C-alpha cells in the first residue's frame, strides 16, 4: 500500500515537473520601425511563460526591450544585500487605489480585421489577448452602435419618432463583429473580464441636428421625452447583450461629450455640458438603471480628456442626487501633454470614493503623427509611461482603443486611422504583435483586478519609472520602465524577502513578481 501510494505520488510529481515547457518565443521581424514585431500565423505564435510561484527565495522577472526580448521569463534568486546604492524600498503598509484591470475595445474595425484571418489564426489572435498563455486582459469596451471605427454610421433604432424603441435591435455588426469575439474571449479566459459600453451618438432623430455627426445634442431637456428614450436605449442595449450571455460590468454616459459641441465634428458624437450630463443621470439614466435591475452597473461620467476633469467633476460630483448613481470617471489620454497628472491627485483628494479609469488611448490620432508604425518601441514606451503615470496618480486601470486594426490603421469610415497593439495583414494571413502589445502585457498579465498599489521609494534620485502592487494572493509586483539609452543598475528591497539586484537595459520594461515564501 505504502509503495503504491509512494509510486503514484512519485510518478505524478515526475509527470508534472518534467512536462515540457510549451512557451514559444517571439518570431521577430523588422518591418521598418525602430524595433521589431512578433509575427503570428497558422504555423506559429509566441506565448507567455506562466507566472507561477518560482519557489522559496526566488522571484520571477519578465523583460521586454527595444533590442531584445518580448516578455522573456527568468526566475532569479533574492540576495541578502544590495549590490548598488540605487535602492528602491517597497512598503506594503502604505496602500493606494484598488486596480480594476487592463484591456482594449471590441470595435467593428477590430472584428472586421480579426474575421479577415483564417479561423485558426483568428483563434491565435484572441488567445494572445485573453487566454492563460497570452496577456490575459481583464477589461473590454464596447461602442454602443457605430463610431468612427465602423464602416458607416448607424444606430440601434433609426426609425424616426420611435419613442417606445419598438424597433430597437442590435446591428449586423454586433452579431458578426463584436458578440462572437467577446464570447470567445470570455470562454477562453480564466479571469473575469469587466466589460463596459460607451455610446458615441444617439439616433439622428433624437438630436438637434438630426445627424449622428457634427455639432448636436439630444432634443429638449433632461427629464423630457428624448432624454427618457435615450435612457431606455441604454437598458435595451444591456438587455440585448445579456441575451447573448454578455453581462456588462459598466457604462460610460457618453464617449467624449465635448466632441459634440464642436462645429462640423467629423464623426459620431453627441454634445453635453456637465450640467446636462448631471441632470440626465439624476432624472433619466440613474433611475432607469435602478428600476431595471442594473443598479450594480458601474456608471462612469466624462469619458473624455484629463483637461476637462476639474470643471466637469466639480459640476457633476458635487450633486448628492447624482453621486448615488455614479461610481467612476473615464479618462482619455489624448491631451495629457497639456494637463499634468497632478489634476488626478487633486481629484482624488476631493472625491476619494469615485474611481478613475483610463477608458481610451491610442497613438497615431494626431495630424502630425504617422498612423501605423510596425515595430515602434517608442510607442510601447508611450503606453508604458502613461500607465505608470496614471497608476501612480490614483487611476485604477487602462483601456486601449481597437484591439486589432489593418495595415492602414482602419477600417474607419472618416479615415481617422490610428495604430494598434495588433496589426492584421489579411493578404498574408498573419498578424503582428507590436511592442505596444507587450507594454500592455507587462501590466495586464500580472497586475490582477483587486490588486492594490503600494509605496515604492528610491533612497536617492533615480529617474527610472516604477509602480508597485500587492495582489489579492499577497504576491507583489513591480513594473519598471527605462526610457533612456543606457542600462541602469538598481536594487529593490522588500524587508520580507531581501533584495532584488537588478539591471535594466536601455529602452526596456520589466515586471518583477514574488511571493513571501
Ligand atoms: C529568455 O532569454 C534567454 C536569453 O536570451 C533565452 O535563452 C530564453 O529562451 C528566453 N526565454 C523565454 C521564455 O523567452
Ligand atoms: C550590506 O551592504 C552595506 C552597504 O554596502 C554594508 O554596509 C553592510 O555591511 C552589508 N551587510 C551585509 C549583511 O553584508
Ligand atoms: C512603512 O510605512 C509605515 C506606514 O507609513 C511606516 O510606519 C513604516 O515605518 C514604513 N516602513 C519602512 C521600512 O519605511
Ligand atoms: C418600425 O419599423 C417598421 C419597418 O421599417 C416601420 O414600418 C414601423 O413604422 C416602425 N415602427 C415605429 C414605431 O417607428
Ligand atoms: C450628416 O452630416 C454630414 C456632414 O455634414 C453630411 O454629409 C450628411 O449628409 C448628414 N447626414 C444626414 C442624414 O443628414
Ligand atoms: C447562453 O448560455 C447558456 C448556458 O450556458 C446557453 O445554454 C445558451 O445557449 C447561451 N446563449 C447564447 C445566446 O449564447
Ligand atoms: C527614464 C529613465 O528612467 N531612464 C533611466 C534609464 O537608465 C539610465 C542609465 O542609468 C538612467 O540615467 C535614466 O535615468
Amino acid at each position: 500500500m505504502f509503495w503504491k501510494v509512494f509510486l503514484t505520488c512519485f510518478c505524478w510529481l515526475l509527470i508534472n515537473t518534467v512536462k515540457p515547457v510549451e512557451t514559444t518565443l517571439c518570431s521577430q521581424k523588422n518591418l521598418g520601425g525602430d524595433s521589431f514585431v512578433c509575427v503570428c500565423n497558422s504555423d506559429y505564435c509566441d506565448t507567455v511563460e506562466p507566472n507561477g510561484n518560482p519557489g522559496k527565495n526566488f522571484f520571477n522577472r519578465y523583460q521586454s526591450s527595444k533590442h531584445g526580448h518580448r516578455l522573456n521569463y527568468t526566475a532569479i534568486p533574492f540576495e541578502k544585500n544590495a549590490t548598488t546604492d540605487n535602492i528602491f524600498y517597497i512598503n506594503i503598509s502604505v496602500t493606494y487605489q484598488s486596480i480594476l484591470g487592463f484591456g482594449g475595445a471590441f470595435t467593428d474595425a477590430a472584428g472586421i480585421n480579426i474575421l479577415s484571418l483564417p479561423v485558426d489564426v483568428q483563434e491565435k489572435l484572441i488567445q494572445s489577448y485573453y487566454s492563460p498563455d497570452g496577456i490575459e486582459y481583464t477589461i473590454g469596451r464596447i461602442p454602443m452602435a457605430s463610431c468612427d471605427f465602423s464602416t458607416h454610421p448607424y444606430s440601434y433604432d433609426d426609425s424616426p419618432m420611435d419613442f417606445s424603441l419598438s424597433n430597437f435591435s442590435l446591428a449586423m455588426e454586433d452579431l458578426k463583429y463584436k458578440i462572437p469575439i467577446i464570447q470567445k474571449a470570455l470562454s477562453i479566459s480564466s479571469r473575469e473580464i469587466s466589460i463596459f459600453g460607451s455610446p458615441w451618438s444617439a439616433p439622428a432623430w433624437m438630436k438637434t441636428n438630426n445627424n449622428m455627426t457634427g455639432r448636436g445634442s439630444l432634443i429638449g431637456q433632461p427629464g423630457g421625452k428624448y432624454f427618457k428614450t435615450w435612457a431606455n436605449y441604454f437598458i435595451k442595449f444591456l438587455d440585448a447583450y445579456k441575451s447573448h450571455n454578455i453581462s456588462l460590468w459598466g457604462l460610460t454616459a457618453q464617449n467624449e461629450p465635448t466632441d459634440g459641441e464642436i462645429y462640423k465634428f467629423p464623426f459620431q458624437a453627441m454634445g453635453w455640458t456637465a450640467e446636462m450630463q448631471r441632470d440626465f443621470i439624476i432624472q433619466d439614466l440613474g433611475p432607469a438603471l435602478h428600476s431595471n435591475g442594473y443598479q450594480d452597473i458601474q456608471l462612469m461620467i466624462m469619458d473624455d480628456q484629463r483637461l476637462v476633469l476639474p470643471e466637469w467633476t466639480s459640476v457633476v460630483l458635487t450633486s448628492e442626487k447624482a453621486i448615488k448613481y455614479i461610481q467612476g470617471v473615464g479618462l482619455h489620454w489624448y491631451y495629457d501633454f497639456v494637463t499634468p497628472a497632478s489634476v488626478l491627485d487633486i481629484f482624488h483628494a476631493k472625491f476619494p470614493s469615485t474611481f478613475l479609469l483610463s477608458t481610451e488611448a491610442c497613438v497615431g490620432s494626431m495630424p502630425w503623427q504617422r498612423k501605423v508604425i510596425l515595430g515602434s518601441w517608442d510607442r510601447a514606451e508611450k503606453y508604458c509611461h502613461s500607465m505608470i503615470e496614471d497608476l501612480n496618480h490614483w487611476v485604477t486601470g487602462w483601456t486601449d482603443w481597437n484591439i486589432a486594426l489593418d495595415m492602414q490603421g482602419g477600417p474607419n469610415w472618416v479615415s481617422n486611422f490610428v495604430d494598434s497593439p495588433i496589426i492584421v495583414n489579411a493578404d498574408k494571413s498573419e498578424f503582428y504583435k507590436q511592442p505596444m502589445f507587450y507594454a500592455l502585457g507587462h501590466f495586464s498579465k500580472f497586475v490582477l483586478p483587486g490588486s492594490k498599489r503600494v509605496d515604492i521609494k528610491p533612497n536617492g534620485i533615480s529617474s527610472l519609472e516604477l509602480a508597485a502592487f500587492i495582489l489579492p494572493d499577497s504576491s507583489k509586483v513591480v513594473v519598471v520602465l527605462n526610457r533612456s539609452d543606457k542600462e541602469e543598475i538598481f536594487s529593490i528591497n522588500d524587508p520580507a524577502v531581501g533584495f532584488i539586484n537588478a539591471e535594466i537595459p536601455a529602452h526596456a520594461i520589466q515586471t518583477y513578481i514574488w511571493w513571501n515564501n
Side-chain angles (χ1 to χ4, degrees):
M1 184 60 196
F2 168 78
W3 280 105
K4 204 172 160 192
V5 171
F6 176 81
L7 276 176
T8 311
C9 291
F10 182 75
C11 291
W12 183 86
L13 262 176
L14 205 66
I15 290 161
N16 281 280
T17 45
V18 298
K19 194 164 65 184
V21 175
E22 283 157 27
T23 311
T24 54
L25 304 179
C26 166
S27 163
Q28 303 185 4
K29 196 166 191 176
N30 275 298
L31 292 168
D34 61 357
S35 185
F36 52 87
V37 299
C38 303
V39 182
C40 292
N41 53 34
S42 285
D43 301 326
Y44 196 85
C45 194
D46 56 298
T47 57
V48 190
E49 186 91 6
N51 174 36
N53 189 334
K56 196 168 162 55
N57 296 329
F58 277 81
F59 59 88
N60 289 339
R61 187 193 73 189
Y62 289 81
Q63 176 169 300
S64 302
S65 64
K66 186 172 176 179
H67 303 296
H69 298 287
R70 296 292 182 258
L71 287 169
N72 177 277
Y73 170 76
T74 327
I76 305 169
F78 283 103
E79 289 175 38
K80 291 213 159 45
N81 212 345
T83 49
T84 165
D85 292 336
N86 190 13
I87 303 172
F88 292 87
Y89 294 95
I90 188 166
N91 188 344
I92 57 164
S93 41
V94 185
T95 58
Y96 302 89
Q97 77 276 26
S98 268
I99 300 304
L100 286 169
F102 301 84
F106 299 97
T107 57
D108 293 352
I112 290 167
N113 288 313
I114 293 169
L115 291 183
S116 72
L117 290 164
V119 173
D120 60 330
V121 188
Q122 294 177 20
E123 296 257 328
K124 289 196 168 97
L125 194 156
I126 300 171
Q127 280 165 5
S128 294
Y129 276 124
Y130 298 98
S131 81
D133 63 10
I135 61 171
E136 303 196 80
Y137 269 4
T138 51
I139 283 187
R141 184 181 189 214
I142 310 174
M144 292 166 58
S146 65
C147 67
D148 54 328
F149 281 93
S150 299
T151 55
H152 64 111
Y154 62 85
S155 83
Y156 294 140
D157 191 345
D158 290 320
S159 300
M161 306 304 151
D162 184 12
F163 292 106
S164 64
L165 298 178
S166 57
N167 276 350
F168 180 101
S169 67
L170 293 182
M172 171 281 280
E173 282 83 353
D174 295 271
L175 304 176
K176 210 170 154 197
Y177 303 140
K178 293 175 182 167
I179 289 168
I181 290 166
I182 297 168
Q183 285 174 337
K184 182 84 202 172
L186 292 171
S187 74
I188 63 175
S189 174
S190 65
R191 300 178 174 177
E192 290 232 353
I193 302 176
S194 301
I195 296 174
F196 65 96
S198 301
W200 264 245
S201 172
W205 60 269
M206 294 189 195
K207 296 175 66 186
T208 52
N209 60 339
N210 193 29
N211 200 318
M212 291 184 78
T213 72
R215 182 168 67 196
S217 43
L218 281 178
I219 296 171
Q221 295 302 321
K225 186 154 85 166
Y226 289 87
F227 284 72
K228 287 269 175 264
T229 306
W230 182 231
N232 287 333
Y233 184 102
F234 281 78
I235 304 301
K236 295 255 183 193
F237 165 76
L238 295 171
D239 287 345
Y241 266 74
K242 203 171 175 183
S243 75
H244 291 276
N245 286 344
I246 299 169
S247 291
L248 269 73
W249 160 84
L251 285 172
T252 70
Q254 170 67 45
N255 173 71
E256 298 189 354
T258 57
D259 289 353
E261 304 278 348
I262 297 169
Y263 178 62
K264 287 197 169 171
F265 191 78
F267 56 87
Q268 295 91 321
M270 186 153 73
W272 297 80
T273 62
E275 287 80 3
M276 272 170 69
Q277 186 167 78
R278 176 195 64 202
D279 296 344
F280 168 60
I281 289 169
I282 295 172
Q283 297 188 49
D284 309 301
L285 184 58
L289 290 170
H290 281 234
S291 64
N292 285 283
Y294 291 116
Q295 61 282 347
D296 292 333
I297 287 277
Q298 303 292 298
L299 180 61
M300 292 171 268
I301 58 162
M302 220 177 81
D303 201 13
D304 211 328
Q305 317 308 322
R306 191 190 272 177
L307 182 67
V308 299
L309 181 71
E311 276 285 317
W312 199 274
T313 55
S314 72
V315 170
V316 183
L317 297 178
T318 48
S319 157
E320 286 294 330
K321 286 186 201 146
I323 55 170
K324 72 175 192 205
Y325 297 117
I326 298 165
Q327 286 72 41
V329 175
L331 296 162
H332 292 194
W333 85 335
Y334 302 100
Y335 294 92
D336 280 2
F337 59 88
V338 296
T339 320
S342 55
V343 301
L344 306 171
D345 299 331
I346 296 167
F347 168 84
H348 178 77
K350 204 168 158 189
F351 303 108
S353 54
T354 308
F355 69 78
L356 292 168
L357 178 68
S358 279
T359 45
E360 192 186 304
C362 69
V363 204
S365 64
M366 297 295 175
W368 61 87
Q369 288 172 337
R370 277 174 62 197
K371 304 304 160 188
V372 174
I373 301 180
L374 291 171
S376 169
W377 183 261
D378 178 63
R379 290 180 169 187
E381 288 187 350
K382 285 192 166 67
Y383 268 36
C384 191
H385 167 77
S386 169
M387 286 186 272
I388 292 179
E389 180 184 79
D390 278 356
L391 291 164
N392 283 330
H393 295 274
W394 298 101
V395 177
T396 59
W398 210 84
T399 319
D400 181 41
W401 192 202
N402 306 270
I403 58 170
L405 290 175
D406 66 18
M407 297 287 276
Q408 193 179 19
N412 180 296
W413 74 277
V414 289
S415 304
N416 182 25
F417 304 122
V418 302
D419 212 339
S420 169
I422 287 188
I423 296 294
V424 169
N425 186 347
D427 292 342
K428 290 192 160 177
S429 299
E430 62 190 21
F431 65 90
Y432 308 125
K433 290 185 196 166
Q434 298 262 52
M436 288 183 282
F437 173 89
Y438 298 91
L440 269 154
H442 272 277
F443 296 84
S444 63
K445 190 164 181 76
F446 310 105
V447 187
L448 292 172
S451 301
K452 277 200 155 73
R453 185 170 73 81
V454 298
D455 228 22
I456 185 157
K457 282 207 173 68
N459 63 342
I461 299 162
S462 169
S463 51
L464 281 179
E465 295 166 66
L466 295 90
F469 307 88
I470 182 151
L471 273 69
D473 74 350
S474 299
S475 59
K476 294 154 202 171
V477 172
V478 174
V479 187
V480 186
L481 167 66
N482 185 354
R483 291 193 287 167
S484 91
D485 291 331
K486 290 180 297 174
E487 66 166 36
E488 180 157 335
I489 291 173
F490 65 102
S491 182
I492 299 172
N493 176 237
D494 175 1
V497 280
F499 290 86
I500 290 173
N501 285 317
E503 198 178 308
I504 184 164
H507 297 290
I509 308 168
Q510 295 176 328
T511 302
Y512 293 90
I513 307 100
W514 67 95
W515 284 258
N516 274 355
N517 58 11

